[in-house]
Amino acid sequence: FMAITRASFRFIAKMGLPLNEVVSKMNNALADNNTTGMFVTLFVGKVDMDTGNFEYCNAGHNPIVVIPPHEKAAYLKAKPNLAAGLIQDFPYQLETGHLDRGTRLVLYTDGVTEAERADKQQFGEQRLLEWADGMSAKDVEWTENACGDLYDTVKRFTDGNEQNDDITIMTIDMK
């Protein structure tokens, strides 16, 4: 299913369509004859590096952590929309915003926030924001250290409990 998702994105994204239309076409391709009920969550975004204008479309994915320069980390306000592959012709919404130079982004799968200890306590969204605030205050090269630091923080939190979902982390530094 992921192979189809990746191939669809690569093909459709080259058409130069608005991002919500890219996601809509991907959704329709995935939903077509999807008798297994599989789906994929995804977040598609595009930043104009000269102006900082940001266009994005969310398809059921976790909210992105945004860390503006000299401000606290917060979750990007994005419509959740429906995960791709479930219902044909879902009306995905295109959203816009602005990212200042020096803003940092953290994208992640739910394996980060849903990582849990043996007592079933999850890492959660609040701990993720606390990590982001602490990491942004450190004097480190963000792009080289942030992913590994978050992964290590999650693993320490789970204290050896077996991982129950994939953990994928990507960071972006708007230099």
Side-chain angles (χ1 to χ4, degrees), residues 59-120:
H61 207 334
N62 301 75
I64 290 177
V65 176
V66 179
I67 311 165
H70 315 295
E71 293 182 36
K72 290 269 192 195
Y75 288 104
L76 177 69
K77 299 209 182 320
K79 294 179 174 107
N81 291 312
L82 185 70
L86 294 173
I87 299 173
Q88 288 272 348
D89 300 320
F90 182 84
Y92 290 92
Q93 302 294 309
L94 178 68
E95 297 181 77
T96 60
H98 182 82
L99 299 173
D100 293 327
R101 292 219 181 267
T103 298
R104 294 171 171 168
L105 306 175
V106 182
L107 297 91
Y108 58 95
T109 57
D110 58 2
V112 170
T113 52
E114 294 175 5
E116 59 186 26
R117 296 178 178 166
D119 66 2
K120 304 296 184 198

Side-chain angles (χ1 to χ4, degrees), residues 1-59:
F1 201 74
M2 280 308 296
I4 293 168
T5 301
R6 290 180 64 187
S8 294
F9 179 75
R10 287 180 175 149
F11 178 76
I12 297 168
K14 290 178 183 177
M15 294 179 178
L17 301 169
L19 297 179
N20 61 317
E21 291 181 32
V22 170
V23 174
S24 292
K25 288 187 178 300
M26 288 178 61
N27 172 63
N28 288 343
L30 295 171
D32 187 40
N33 295 316
N34 182 5
T35 58
T36 62
M38 294 184 78
F39 62 90
V40 64
T41 67
L42 57 110
F43 184 96
V44 179
K46 179 172 63 172
V47 179
D48 182 321
M49 295 303 287
D50 293 326
T51 66
N53 291 334
F54 181 37
E55 295 181 348
Y56 55 96
C57 181
N58 188 20

